[in-house]
């Protein structure tokens, strides 16, 4: 998608066939299909525009990380909040909402999803495999360690982990940035993160048909991501002696116990 976007961005006015011919080697049918899917996705996410004459155009984006940031934003915000004609990828968004509520230590493949996960939105293994790659690229999961697997199947598995998406949202938000080196209430930080990444538990739009009601375990993945961000020096989680608001987050360093947090100085 980034390669296709670059062609359109740097050569505005080309038609779809011309763009596909530039990004896919002639004679390789599979590559042509990749190019067509990339262009279709760019249209669905409204990253490229096509006029009545078929000419394509795209706003300048300077780097692949910036492109990924915009793509993530278009994927996680509810389609209705992005305009009546916005297509997006509702199935991908539902999958991310589901993923953010799963246990961060359970390696997930399609068999596990079908047998151990309730109310999952995946109708077949083809959609799961596509989702697995998208969730990693957008910063909401990572490949599972083989040592965590409970069975002999060593196929590709993921674990939910939004650390990369969370850190990117803090460092380059679409809304107002967080103040740095101040005692930020934990509730304010979580509200910011849910606004930037509205597939996280607690955002009003983070739901889909048939999804079970959130329980206390819905913060497990978010607690892991905050702990990871702390280890990487992005923020510090603290507990004041007389706090105005406290949240119990699953402790990534002390399995099975909660860590009580009231303030979070953000370092960046």
């Amino acid at each position: 998608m980034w390669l296709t976007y670059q062609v359109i961005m740097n050569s505005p006015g080309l038609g779809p066939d011309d763009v596909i011919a530039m990004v896919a080697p002639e004679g390789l049918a599979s590559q042509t299909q990749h190019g067509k899917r990339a262009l279709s996705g760019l249209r669905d996410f409204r990253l490229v525009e096509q006029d009545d004459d078929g000419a394509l155009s795209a706003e300048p984006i300077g780097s692949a990380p910036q492109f990924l940031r915009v793509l993530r934003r278009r994927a996680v915000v509810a389609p209705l909040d992005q305009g009546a004609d916005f297509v997006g990828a509702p199935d991908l968004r539902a999958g991310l909402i589901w993923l953010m509520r799963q246990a961060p230590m359970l390696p997930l493949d399609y068999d596990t999803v079908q047998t151990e996960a309730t109310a999952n939105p995946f109708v077949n293994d083809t959609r799961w495999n596509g989702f697995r790659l998208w969730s990693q690229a957008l910063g909401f999961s990572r490949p599972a360690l083989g040592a965590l697997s409970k069975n002999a199947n060593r196929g590709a598995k993921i674990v939910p982990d939004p650390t990369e998406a969370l850190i990117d949202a803090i460092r380059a938000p679409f809304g107002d940035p967080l103040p740095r080196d101040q005692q930020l209430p934990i509730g304010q930080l979580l509200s910011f993160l849910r606004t930037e990444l509205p597939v996280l538990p607690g955002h009003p739009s983070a739901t889909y048909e048939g999804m079970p009601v959130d329980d206390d375990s819905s913060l497990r993945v978010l607690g892991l991501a905050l702990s990871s961000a702390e280890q990487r020096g992005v923020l510090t989680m603290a507990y004041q002696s007389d706090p105005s608001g406290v949240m119990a987050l699953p402790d990534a360093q002390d399995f099975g116990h909660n860590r009580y947090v009231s303030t979070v100085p953000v370092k960046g």
Side-chain angles (χ1 to χ4, degrees):
M1 291 178 75
W2 170 234
L3 176 61
T4 304
Y5 188 90
Q6 283 183 293
V7 170
I8 298 170
M9 177 178 64
N10 294 320
S11 303
L14 293 176
D17 292 340
D18 296 324
V19 171
I20 299 301
M22 294 181 70
V23 300
E26 184 178 357
L28 294 180
S30 61
Q31 291 296 93
T32 301
Q33 291 304 314
H34 285 315
K36 289 180 178 179
R37 284 195 292 268
L39 183 55
S40 176
L42 291 169
R43 288 197 193 101
D44 289 345
F45 284 116
R46 208 186 290 158
L47 286 163
V48 302
E49 300 291 340
Q50 185 170 351
D51 64 21
D52 294 338
D53 295 326
L56 297 165
S57 61
E59 295 296 323
I61 294 180
S63 67
Q66 291 174 336
F67 172 80
L68 183 60
R69 187 173 297 127
V70 175
L71 180 60
R72 181 193 300 121
R73 181 68 176 176
R74 301 289 172 90
V76 299
V77 174
L80 288 178
D81 293 338
Q82 303 190 63
D85 59 342
F86 184 83
V87 177
D91 290 342
L92 170 62
R93 186 173 188 272
L96 292 173
I97 292 170
W98 172 86
L99 184 67
M100 293 298 94
R101 288 159 172 79
Q102 305 312 304
M105 298 299 289
L106 176 63
L108 298 170
D109 58 11
Y110 185 68
D111 291 339
T112 305
V113 167
Q114 295 304 303
T115 58
E116 298 193 27
T118 59
N120 75 80
F122 306 105
V123 297
N124 54 51
D125 58 352
T126 299
R127 290 199 179 184
W128 165 258
N129 287 330
F131 170 78
R132 176 176 58 81
L133 297 173
W134 271 89
S135 68
Q136 292 180 62
L138 295 180
F140 289 98
S141 74
R142 64 179 62 252
L145 295 174
L148 294 177
S149 183
K150 296 180 180 179
N151 54 48
N153 178 10
R154 297 297 180 182
K157 298 180 177 66
I158 60 171
V159 288
D161 183 356
T163 299
E164 298 302 328
L166 181 147
I167 290 176
D168 199 45
I170 291 174
R171 289 176 170 168
F174 284 84
D176 294 332
L178 292 169
R180 297 300 195 259
D181 298 316
Q182 297 183 21
Q183 297 294 330
L184 192 70
I186 181 63
Q188 183 177 342
L189 174 64
L190 294 186
S191 178
F192 165 87
L193 292 174
R194 287 165 176 152
T195 299
E196 290 291 321
L197 304 170
V199 293
L200 294 176
H203 192 273
S205 73
T207 185
Y208 58 86
E209 185 176 355
M211 191 188 82
V213 177
D214 283 343
D215 54 26
D216 293 339
S217 66
S218 65
L219 291 177
R220 287 177 297 184
V221 167
L222 187 54
L224 169 65
L226 289 171
S227 293
S228 298
E230 184 176 44
Q231 290 297 315
R232 289 166 62 171
V234 177
L235 51 83
T236 302
M237 292 188 285
Y239 178 78
Q240 295 175 316
S241 58
D242 185 22
S244 58
V246 179
M247 180 163 291
L249 294 173
D251 195 339
Q253 302 295 326
D254 189 6
F255 182 74
H257 295 83
N258 287 328
R259 180 179 180 183
Y260 294 93
V261 179
S262 61
T263 60
V264 185
V266 175
K267 301 182 180 301

